[in-house]
């Protein structure tokens, strides 16, 4: 059973999806939740989008928490984070991979696994167990690299 409770929200296909935020949208998939205003999920399974103007496309158990964030594919990836009652990591993105976090403002992780881009404007382009915690820092793959 799909549920579209938000003002002007809609669902097209899939099962057990929820479009709760105002002007939110779910297209296909299973157990996806579009909770933020103007948020969307497209396909995938058990993805949660709570940030405003955010999206999750495909994948499984991904979360787009901060405003203007996106997660595209992969599994158990997170863009944005909670900081007490506020969200951080606006404009962050994760493009695939598994168990990646992009929590800094305007940060990104482009695949790989177990990577964390926590610095503002930081990026990680794959690899595993990389950490980009400094502002404007970047890690270009490899294993266990820190910037």
């Amino acid at each position: 059973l799909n549920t579209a409770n938000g003002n002007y929200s809609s669902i097209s296909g899939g099962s057990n999806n929820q479009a709760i935020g105002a002007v939110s949208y779910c297209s296909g998939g299973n157990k996806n939740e579009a909770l933020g205003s103007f948020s969307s999920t497209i396909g995938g399974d058990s993805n949660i989008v709570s940030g405003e103007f955010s999206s999750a496309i495909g994948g499984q158990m991904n979360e787009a928490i901060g405003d203007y964030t996106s997660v595209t594919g992969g599994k158990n990836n997170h863009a944005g984070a909670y900081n007490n009652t506020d969200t951080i990591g606006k404009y962050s993105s994760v493009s695939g991979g598994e168990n990646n976090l992009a929590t800094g403002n305007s940060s990104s992780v482009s695949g790989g696994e177990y990577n964390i881009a926590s610095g503002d404007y930081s990026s990680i382009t794959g690899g595993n167990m990389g950490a980009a915690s400094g502002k404007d820092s970047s890690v270009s793959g490899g294993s266990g690299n820190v910037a």
Side-chain angles (χ1 to χ4, degrees):
L1 176 67
N2 291 317
T3 305
N5 285 341
N7 292 334
Y8 309 106
S9 64
S10 63
I11 296 177
S12 61
S15 62
N16 302 307
N17 294 313
Q18 297 183 51
I20 305 300
V23 198
S24 62
Y25 176 69
C26 292
S27 176
N30 181 52
K31 295 182 184 175
N32 295 309
E33 300 177 19
L35 306 175
S37 297
F38 302 95
S39 64
S40 62
T41 66
I42 300 174
D45 179 58
S46 302
N47 295 311
I48 298 173
V49 180
S50 58
E52 293 186 356
F53 301 97
S54 297
S55 63
I57 301 173
Q60 183 180 33
M61 296 185 299
N62 295 311
E63 293 185 341
I65 300 168
D67 294 344
Y68 308 97
T69 60
S70 66
V71 177
T72 308
K75 181 178 181 181
N76 200 36
N77 295 307
H78 304 269
Y82 290 108
N83 180 13
N84 296 326
T85 58
D86 296 325
T87 57
I88 56 175
K90 286 185 177 182
Y91 309 105
S92 63
S93 65
V94 177
S95 303
E98 184 174 8
N99 297 310
N100 294 307
L101 302 173
T103 59
N105 291 316
S106 300
S107 64
S108 66
V109 176
S110 302
E113 61 182 356
Y114 300 103
N115 293 305
I116 301 172
S118 59
D120 289 348
Y121 314 104
S122 64
S123 66
I124 299 178
T125 55
N128 67 344
M129 297 176 22
S133 58
K135 183 178 179 185
D136 300 312
S137 62
S138 67
V139 172
S140 298
S143 180
N145 292 316
V146 177

